[in-house]
Amino acid sequence: MKHLLKEIQAAEEELLIGNVILYPTDTVWGIGCDAENAAAVKKIFKIKEREESKSMIVLMSDVAMLRRYIEHVPDDFEKLVESQERPTTFVLSGAQNLPKELVAEDGSIGVRIAKDEFCHRLMQQIGRPLVSTSANVSGEPSPRTFAEVSDSIKERVDYVVQWRQDEDVESRPSRIIKIDESGRQTVIRE
C-alpha cells in the first residue's frame, strides 16, 4: 500500500506539470496525461506517431466527474457501468471542457469509469480525468503487460509508473459501446 501511494504521488506531480506517464490501467498498459492539458495531449499524439484526427479514451474516476465533461449523461448510466462484467468504454455525445484534440468531429468522446485502484486513486487525487491510450506506436500491438511495452515508448514518456510492472496477467482492450442521443447502444468493439 505504501508503494502504491508513493507511485500515485509521483505520477500526480508529473501530471500537474504537463508531463506524460506510462501506467497500468484496468485494461492494457497506457500512456496518459491530465485530460484537460492540451499541450500534454499533443505530446501523446507525437509519442504514438498518431494522427490527431484519431481520438483517445478518457478515464474518469466516477460518474460525478463524468458529468463535468459530458453535457447530458444518459439516464441510468451509473447502473449501466456497474452492470459491465469487464472494462467498457462508452462513446458519448456532448463532450465539454476538454481539449479539442480529444473530441471527435461529431462532438463525442470515449470515456471509461476506471475501476483499477491506481487509476481511480490518481484521478481522485488530481481531481481531473486521465487520457488513456495504449502504450504503443500507432499500428503496433497493444502491450498487455509491462514487459510488452517497447523501449522506444518507455524512452519517450516523461515518467514510468513503477506499480504492477511485474504482473504477468495478460489484459485486453476494453469493450466499446456507443450510446447515441436517443439512448440506443451499439457495440463497436467486443
Side-chain angles (χ1 to χ4, degrees), residues 21-63:
I21 64 171
L22 171 63
Y23 67 110
T25 72
D26 48 358
T27 58
V28 297
W29 272 77
I31 301 172
C33 67
D34 170 355
E36 290 186 12
N37 186 322
V41 171
K42 287 181 181 185
K43 282 165 98 173
I44 291 178
F45 280 109
K46 188 174 180 180
I47 289 168
K48 285 187 64 80
E49 300 173 21
R50 184 177 184 157
E51 295 175 38
E52 286 191 21
S53 62
K54 295 182 92 178
S55 55
M56 294 184 280
I57 292 170
V58 177
L59 298 181
M60 305 279 177
S61 62
D62 52 36
V63 175

Side-chain angles (χ1 to χ4, degrees), residues 143-160:
R144 297 168 295 177
T145 64
F146 178 75
E148 291 181 6
V149 178
S150 72
D151 288 340
S152 70
I153 290 293
K154 291 174 188 171
E155 291 164 7
R156 292 178 190 180
V157 298
D158 300 302
Y159 182 72
V160 177

Side-chain angles (χ1 to χ4, degrees), residues 70-148:
I70 298 294
E71 192 173 344
H72 299 291
V73 176
D75 294 336
D76 296 330
F77 185 72
E78 200 158 1
K79 287 180 185 175
L80 179 62
V81 170
E82 290 171 8
S83 72
Q84 301 304 306
E85 293 181 16
R86 59 182 267 233
T88 302
T89 298
F90 296 93
V91 178
L92 302 172
S93 309
Q96 61 185 9
N97 304 319
L98 291 167
K100 63 178 175 49
E101 293 83 4
L102 288 177
V103 180
E105 285 183 21
D106 66 358
S108 67
I109 184 83
V111 296
R112 186 168 73 244
I113 306 296
K115 296 182 180 175
D116 173 79
E117 183 179 18
F118 175 83
C119 296
H120 184 79
R121 285 178 173 227
L122 179 58
M123 287 183 287
Q124 286 183 320
Q125 191 71 25
I126 66 170
R128 293 194 283 273
L130 293 173
V131 168
S132 180
T133 183
S134 56
N136 60 324
V137 171
S138 279
E140 293 180 359
S142 298
R144 297 168 295 177
T145 64
F146 178 75
E148 291 181 6

